[in-house]
Amino acid sequence: MLKIIDMTFVHAGAAEALFSGVTVHFAQGWTGIVGMNGAGKTTLLRLACGLLEPALGRVEMSGRAVYCPQRTDDPPPDLSRFLASDDREAHRLKVDLDIADDWFGRWATLSHGERKRAQIGVALWSDPDILAIDEPTNHIDTDARRLLARALGGFRGTGLLVTHDRALLDTLCARCAFVEPPGIVVRPGGYTVASQQAAAERERDRHALEVVSRARARLNGEMSRRLADAGRADRKCSKRGLAPGDHDGRERINLARLSGKDGRAGRLAAQLGGRLERLGEEAARIQVRKEYRTGVWLDTEPARRNELFSIPAGEIELGPGRLLRHLSLSMGPSDRVGVTGRNGAGKSTLIQRIVGAADLPPGRVLYLPQEITATESARLISDVRALSREELGRVMTIVSRLGSRPPRLMETSEPSPGEMRKILLALGILRSPWLIVMDEPTNHLDLPAIECLEDALGDCPCGLLLVSHDEVFLRHLVGSLWNIVDGVLEKVPCRG
C-alpha cells in the first residue's frame, strides 16, 4: 500500500509550493511517473519513499521502500554483498542483468550503463515492497534494455517508474501519473494510451473554455445595453430638473415608479450580473494547462578549416588488460558521425580523447558529457547565477525553449540532471560552436526537449559527433557510424 493524502511540499527557499493538496493512491504493479524536467518527478519518488517530509498532509505506506536515484556516481551500499551472494535470486539477477562479480572493485572503470544495471540489480535483490526507480534506461544499450525490462517485469510489489523511455512505460505500466505542479493526475494505461487521454482532456477543456468565454462575451454585451437602458430609465424616473409647477410631469414619474415598468431594465441587468458571475466561476474551474513556446536554434556556421580534428590509427587504454583499437579518425567541418557500441565498449573514453585532440579556439567545441556529478552541478548553477543579466537572460530563454521553467530552476539548489544538461547546452549554443560532441544527449531529457534538440541539430551546419543508444535519434541526424565491437572500432554505413 502506498497513499499520498492531501500533501503539500515546498522546496527550501522556493516562493511557492511545488505540490499542493495532492492525494494519490498507488496500486500494486508499475505506475509511470511522467512530466517535464524540473516538474518534481524525483521529488515525488523521494516523498513516496520517506526520504523527504511534506509540509502538510502525509504519506502512508506498508512494507519497506527502496529508491534508485538517477545518478550512478557511487556504488549502491549493498553491492559487495549482492555480488558475493550465492543465493538463487542473486544468481538469477546477475545472469538476467549481465552483472559481473568483480564490478565492485572496478566501479570507477564501469560505464554508466553497467553501473545502472548493478544499481537496479541490488534494489531488486533486496526484495522491497515499494520500489521507486529514477531513469533506469539512461546509458543502457539496446540489449541491456531488453534485459532490464524483463527483470523489472518480474517485480510484484508497488513500483514507481520515472523514465522518458516510451517503450518501457508502455511495456511495464498499468497507469501513468502526470506530474503537473501543483497537482498530479493519474490516468490508466501505458504512456501511449495515457497521453492520448491527456490530450483529449486538454482539447475538451479548451473547447469548454471557449464556449464559456463566448457566452461571457455575449452576456457582457447584453449587460452593457441593459445598463444603458437602466440609466435612461433612472433619468426618466428622476424629478430632478422639473419646474416647481410641473404637476403633470410629477404625476407621470409617480405612475412609472408605481408600475415599475421603467425599472425592468435594471432588474434584468442585475439578473445578467448573476449569470456572468456564475460563468466566471465555471471558467475558473476549467483548468487549461498553459503551453509554452518551444524549439531552439543554433546560431553557428561551419569551421573555416578542412578538419576539426585528426587522430592517427592506434590504441586507447580502457583499463587493466583492455584496449580499444581504431583506424585513423578525422572529421570535416560539416561531418555528422554517430558512435555506437555496447555498454563498456569504450565510447566515452574515445569521445574524451577526441575532445582533447580537437585543436579549436576556446568555446568552439560544445561538449556534453554523459553524466554531470552533483558537485559539478552545484558549481555550474553557481556560475550561471553569476552571469550578467543579459547573458543569464539568453541562457534562460534557451532553457525555457527546451521546456523548463527558469524561475523554478533558479530557485533550487540542486537542479535535476535533465535541467543541468539543458543549461550546459544553452551555454554552449551561445558560443557558436564549430563542433558539437554529445555523449548520450537524450539521457535525462524529457520527450519535448528531445524533439526540440533533434530539430535543432538537424538544421545546424557545424560538425556533429554523437554517442547514443537511441537508434531513431541517430538515424535522423548522422551520415556515418563508428561502431565498437570486441575492442575494435569499425566505420560502418548508417542505415537511413
Side-chain angles (χ1 to χ4, degrees):
M1 182 191 73
L2 175 60
K3 297 180 181 180
I4 294 176
I5 301 173
D6 199 22
M7 180 265 291
T8 294
F9 179 81
V10 187
H11 281 297
E16 58 185 26
L18 177 64
F19 298 122
S20 179
V22 170
T23 296
V24 184
H25 295 187
F26 294 103
Q28 184 179 9
W30 287 102
T31 299
I33 311 297
V34 298
M36 303 287 278
N37 289 133
K41 301 186 297 297
T42 295
T43 300
L44 176 62
L45 295 194
R46 298 183 69 194
L47 284 163
C49 291
L51 301 176
L52 291 175
E53 290 291 330
L56 297 171
R58 64 190 187 275
V59 177
E60 295 181 356
M61 71 173 74
S62 60
R64 191 170 61 88
V66 169
Y67 169 60
C68 284
Q70 287 192 60
R71 298 189 183 281
T72 58
D73 301 348
D74 302 313
D78 289 332
L79 178 60
S80 59
R81 289 182 55 240
F82 168 63
L83 295 176
S85 176
D86 58 0
D87 67 47
R88 182 176 179 180
E89 183 64 9
H91 177 73
R92 183 185 68 81
L93 287 168
K94 284 185 279 189
V95 171
D96 285 353
L97 292 170
D98 195 18
I99 297 171
D101 288 335
D102 65 345
W103 278 12
F104 183 80
R106 59 185 188 90
W107 184 263
T109 66
L110 296 180
S111 72
H112 286 285
E114 291 169 324
R115 294 181 183 188
K116 181 59 74 173
R117 298 207 308 272
Q119 180 193 71
I120 293 172
V122 171
L124 290 171
W125 178 63
S126 69
D127 194 24
D129 301 284
I130 297 166
L131 178 57
I133 301 185
D134 208 343
E135 295 292 0
T137 59
N138 276 351
H139 319 292
I140 299 289
D141 60 40
T142 303
D143 292 338
R145 283 182 187 220
R146 285 193 288 269
L147 298 175
L148 185 64
R150 185 173 64 189
L152 294 178
F155 178 64
R156 292 295 175 259
T158 298
L160 307 184
L161 178 65
V162 170
T163 181
H164 301 120
D165 187 325
R166 289 164 285 189
L168 188 64
L169 289 169
D170 285 342
T171 299
L172 292 179
C173 297
R175 68 206 67 83
C176 287
F178 289 73
V179 180
E180 301 172 355
I184 297 171
V185 181
V186 178
R187 299 181 175 95
Y191 178 78
T192 299
V193 172
S195 61
Q196 288 171 350
Q197 180 180 329
E201 290 170 3
R202 286 193 297 271
E203 185 58 35
R204 180 200 65 199
D205 290 342
R206 275 195 292 266
H207 176 70
L209 189 59
E210 288 174 5
V211 170
V212 172
S213 297
R214 287 196 296 267
R216 292 177 73 188
R218 286 195 301 269
L219 283 181
N220 271 317
E222 184 65 21
M223 183 80 164
S224 297
R225 288 190 295 273
R226 292 186 180 182
L227 287 174
D229 291 344
R232 287 192 293 271
D234 285 345
R235 288 191 294 275
K236 286 171 59 179
C237 291
S238 174
K239 296 177 182 180
R240 188 181 305 161
L242 292 178
D246 189 356
H247 299 293
D248 291 341
R250 292 177 186 275
E251 184 64 25
R252 189 170 58 253
I253 290 172
N254 287 336
L255 181 62
R257 289 177 174 177
L258 182 64
S259 66
K261 181 179 179 182
D262 287 335
R264 183 168 179 270
R267 291 194 298 275
L268 290 174
Q271 292 173 6
L272 283 181
R275 290 172 61 188
L276 274 171
E277 184 177 349
R278 289 191 294 274
L279 283 174
E281 293 171 353
E282 184 178 346
R285 286 193 297 268
I286 301 173
Q287 299 293 324
V288 177
R289 185 181 177 190
K290 184 176 180 180
E291 295 184 357
Y292 296 87
R293 187 180 181 189
T294 57
V296 297
W297 65 98
L298 292 175
D299 183 16
T300 188
E301 59 184 5
R304 298 184 185 88
R305 55 179 64 189
N306 294 328
E307 287 185 332
L308 297 172
F309 64 83
S310 179
I311 299 176
E315 298 176 340
I316 300 174
E317 185 174 344
L318 302 179
R322 299 175 63 235
L323 295 173
L324 171 61
R325 297 178 176 84
H326 61 86
L327 303 171
S328 61
L329 303 173
S330 64
M331 281 182 60
S334 299
D335 287 347
R336 294 163 167 261
V337 178
V339 181
T340 58
R342 295 192 64 183
N343 291 139
K347 302 184 298 298
S348 295
T349 304
L350 172 68
I351 287 296
Q352 292 163 10
R353 170 74 180 275
I354 289 172
V355 170
D359 185 19
L360 300 177
R364 293 297 192 176
V365 178
L366 193 172
Y367 172 49
L368 192 67
Q370 187 174 162
E371 277 295 333
I372 307 165
T373 67
T375 301
E376 292 167 341
S377 295
R379 184 170 60 250
L380 181 60
I381 199 68
S382 177
D383 291 345
V384 169
R385 287 177 175 140
L387 293 173
S388 68
R389 176 177 295 183
E390 180 182 357
E391 290 176 318
L392 180 61
R394 293 169 67 192
V395 168
M396 290 299 108
T397 295
I398 297 173
V399 169
S400 176
R401 297 288 293 271
L402 284 167
S404 288
R405 304 280 66 83
R408 183 173 292 145
L409 174 59
M410 296 310 294
E411 284 177 349
T412 180
S413 60
E414 189 176 348
S416 71
E419 290 174 308
M420 294 311 306
R421 293 177 82 77
K422 291 177 183 180
I423 289 175
L424 273 179
L425 182 61
L427 290 169
I429 287 174
L430 293 181
R431 299 186 179 101
S432 299
W434 289 348
L435 173 62
I436 297 177
V437 182
M438 294 183 169
D439 196 348
E440 297 293 355
T442 60
N443 276 357
H444 305 296
L445 292 183
D446 53 53
L447 296 174
I450 291 173
E451 292 168 356
C452 292
L453 178 61
E454 188 175 290
D455 289 342
L457 295 179
D459 293 334
C460 86
C462 62
L464 287 182
L465 182 61
L466 306 175
V467 176
S468 182
H469 296 297
D470 189 330
E471 295 179 0
V472 175
F473 187 79
L474 287 180
R475 191 160 59 243
H476 287 167
L477 293 174
V478 304
S480 59
L481 289 175
W482 296 348
N483 187 45
I484 301 174
V485 179
D486 296 331
V488 177
L489 185 150
E490 301 173 339
K491 298 180 181 180
V492 298
C494 182
R495 293 177 294 175

